[in-house]
Amino acid sequence: MSPVHDNTHVDANRRLSDAQQSDNLRTFVGAAARHSGGTVTDRTHRQITRDIAEGFAAHSAQGGATKTEVWEWIRQHASPAYSVEAFESRWEVFENERLIRPHRSKKHQLRHSFHPLGAVFLMICDRLESRGGIDELIALLDRTQELLDRDHPDREAVAHNIVFCQWVFQTFAVQLEALVLDGTLKELMEDQWQYHHQDLDHRVLRLNHDVNRHFPKDVDLAHQAVVMVEAEQRYAHWAAQALLRVLDRAGTTLAFDVLSAEEYLEAARNAPPEQLAEAGLALVADAPQVWLDPGAVVDALEAFVPRHRVRYRPPVPEGSADRDPFGAVAERAVQERARRERAADRMLLEQDRAEMTEELRRSRWPRAVRLLTDLIMLDADRHAPYRLEMGTELIIDREAWVTHLHPVTVHRTHIPAVLPPPDLVASGQGDEES
């Protein structure tokens, strides 16, 4: 299995729960299990494996290590929360499974070495802590694309990979469909984080295009590529439905922990007060009762003195020379431009290019129209260092909120087409400081 790609969107600080991690690992290793219940998914056992691997790595310059040396290194550097008996038990299992082997083929050999496949297993465990296998599918798509980028691609290898990708997409789609239809909110919140990725549809469409370009007369291979695209669209549909159900259920049950801090910040800046007030519609507040005794009522009546209202003519408003209606219009334009640039920076983060097609497909019509309008306005603004690219191909998804759209990509150009005038820059900086 290849490592996780840099352009795959992964929240590095987020990890699945212990139960979900164990379920992912148990399901993954179950394909090689000898009998039911024969795999170990406890976090302590995985930590022992990691400590043993690091202990061997610390003694690699010596050509292997003894069991005593490895344990002494773990005790001094890893501060283990387990006993030496647990360490020796795992060591015996690893010797039986040939994960720990004698360093030299000599009798009474005390020095051992750690097989490299053990380190590969730990790398896979790290990915399973935050993902459920989607990274391996992306890696397979990239390997197939590398085959097609060659001068003479291997038709059989390409066909085998495309059929396997199609099958994996269908498997993921079936799992997500069952989760959306029958899963609880807790299961949805936990499981849908495994399918956050970017540019997956772009990879599949590019692969389909290259297959038709390299093998224009191969009807069977073209059909398999089309079936793979359909399977990816079905998977993307159920992944979006899982996220939408989480958001819908969270809004009705006040489970706001499923939303990110950036979404709260965007709502606080742009949402009207009426929409923000909807968060408190389901709250119940019991107002305290007012306690009054008869004596207090009598004292209040005796002390009551009616107030006499005297009406005065209001002063004649004087015109203000400081108010400039044209300046107010220009200031609002600068504020709106700054808002669009902040939105574009949030989309790009620290990158120079971001695919917005998937974001538009997951959005409802009002938000998609506003987002696309902001990007078009930035592209038309000669002073803004952004460029919008819209593809000519049409994406149709009759089950999504946005049924028809084109591929959309936003770029950061770093240098605007025309430098803004000094007064526009000063107004923009003042808006940011306020």
Side-chain angles (χ1 to χ4, degrees):
M1 295 187 178
S2 59
V4 180
H5 292 261
D6 295 334
N7 56 356
T8 302
H9 174 68
V10 179
D11 187 354
N13 297 323
R14 181 176 180 86
R15 290 291 181 266
L16 302 176
S17 66
D18 293 345
Q20 187 65 44
Q21 292 179 31
S22 298
D23 183 68
N24 287 348
L25 188 60
R26 183 181 296 106
T27 305
F28 173 77
V29 184
R34 294 181 180 177
H35 55 82
S36 177
T39 60
V40 175
T41 58
D42 185 77
R43 179 181 291 271
T44 302
H45 292 87
R46 280 184 281 160
Q47 186 60 46
I48 297 175
T49 306
R50 188 179 300 275
D51 291 345
I52 291 176
E54 293 180 0
F56 273 105
H59 295 83
S60 59
Q62 304 175 11
T66 64
K67 180 167 66 174
T68 303
E69 290 175 342
V70 173
W71 173 247
E72 287 299 322
W73 185 92
I74 292 174
R75 189 175 58 84
Q76 295 176 10
H77 297 84
S79 301
Y82 48 85
S83 63
V84 64
E85 289 78 12
F87 163 78
E88 292 180 348
S89 175
R90 297 305 299 162
W91 183 285
E92 181 180 356
V93 172
F94 292 161
E95 282 187 324
N96 294 335
E97 298 297 332
R98 301 286 293 167
L99 184 61
I100 294 178
R101 304 181 179 186
H103 183 62
R104 300 283 299 274
S105 56
K106 296 169 57 178
K107 293 184 178 180
H108 310 292
Q109 176 65 243
L110 297 179
R111 306 193 73 83
H112 299 79
S113 61
F114 192 76
H115 198 279
L117 288 180
V120 175
F121 172 79
L122 294 174
M123 294 170 60
I124 295 174
C125 289
D126 290 339
R127 288 208 296 275
L128 290 178
E129 288 183 357
S130 58
R131 309 289 264 184
I134 190 66
D135 293 322
E136 315 309 324
L137 174 59
I138 294 176
L140 180 57
L141 290 172
D142 290 344
R143 289 199 300 271
T144 309
Q145 187 64 52
E146 291 175 359
L147 291 175
L148 290 172
D149 291 339
R150 298 177 181 177
D151 295 335
H152 302 285
D154 186 349
R155 191 266 182 197
E156 297 302 325
V158 172
H160 176 271
N161 288 357
I162 287 178
V163 172
F164 193 79
C165 290
Q166 166 196 336
W167 177 78
V168 175
F169 273 127
Q170 292 173 347
T171 305
F172 274 118
V174 170
Q175 179 184 2
L176 281 170
E177 180 181 4
L179 186 67
V180 171
L181 297 179
D182 301 325
T184 63
L185 179 60
K186 182 178 180 181
E187 292 173 342
L188 281 168
M189 290 170 57
E190 183 65 36
D191 197 82
Q192 58 95 15
W193 276 99
Q194 303 184 63
Y195 307 104
H196 283 192
H197 46 74
Q198 192 176 17
D199 294 343
L200 185 57
D201 55 344
H202 176 73
R203 296 170 190 266
V204 175
L205 292 176
R206 180 189 173 191
L207 197 63
N208 179 46
H209 177 268
D210 289 348
V211 166
N212 294 324
R213 180 169 59 88
H214 284 284
F215 307 98
K217 298 181 180 180
D218 196 327
V219 179
D220 293 336
L221 187 58
H223 173 71
Q224 293 298 336
V226 171
V227 174
M228 179 188 65
V229 174
E230 295 176 348
E232 187 276 333
Q233 291 179 348
R234 180 187 177 191
Y235 160 75
H237 166 73
W238 286 111
Q241 291 299 316
L243 181 60
L244 288 176
R245 186 183 171 200
V246 169
L247 295 178
D248 292 340
R249 292 280 299 274
T252 57
T253 59
L254 298 180
F256 299 119
D257 55 333
V258 301
L259 303 179
S260 64
E262 187 63 30
E263 290 171 324
Y264 279 114
L265 181 60
E266 183 67 21
R269 286 175 174 174
N270 301 319
E274 295 79 8
Q275 185 176 358
L276 294 175
E278 293 179 0
L281 293 179
L283 297 177
V284 178
D286 294 331
Q289 297 181 353
V290 181
W291 176 259
L292 294 176
D293 58 88
V297 175
V298 173
D299 294 340
L301 291 175
E302 292 180 350
F304 174 72
V305 177
R307 291 181 296 174
H308 297 279
R309 296 184 177 180
V310 180
R311 295 185 177 182
Y312 298 95
R313 183 183 297 274
V316 179
E318 298 180 358
S320 175
D322 298 333
R323 184 181 179 186
D324 183 8
F326 295 99
V329 173
E331 182 179 0
R332 286 196 299 270
V334 172
Q335 293 175 355
E336 188 67 10
R337 177 173 174 269
R339 182 192 64 77
R340 295 192 188 103
E341 290 186 349
R342 287 196 300 268
D345 288 337
R346 285 194 299 272
M347 300 171 196
L348 290 167
L349 296 179
E350 297 180 0
Q351 304 175 1
D352 293 334
R353 176 181 179 275
E355 283 284 341
M356 300 306 302
T357 309
E358 191 64 23
E359 181 71 17
L360 292 172
R361 292 178 64 183
R362 292 197 302 262
S363 303
R364 301 196 179 192
W365 266 114
R367 183 176 182 275
V369 170
R370 181 186 179 112
L371 178 60
L372 189 57
T373 303
D374 289 342
L375 295 177
I376 294 174
M377 294 296 292
L378 284 176
D379 184 80
D381 189 352
R382 297 183 300 168
H383 307 307
Y386 304 96
R387 182 172 63 86
L388 180 65
E389 177 185 351
M390 297 184 66
T392 58
E393 57 184 341
L394 180 62
I395 301 175
I396 301 176
D397 189 353
R398 62 181 183 180
E399 297 182 358
W401 291 102
V402 181
T403 56
H404 299 72
L405 77 160
H406 297 273
V408 177
T409 307
V410 60
H411 300 266
R412 190 197 308 274
T413 60
H414 297 290
I415 301 177
V418 178
L419 294 178
D423 54 346
L424 185 59
V425 175
S427 301
Q429 292 176 351
D431 175 65
E432 290 295 326
E433 293 176 356
S434 59

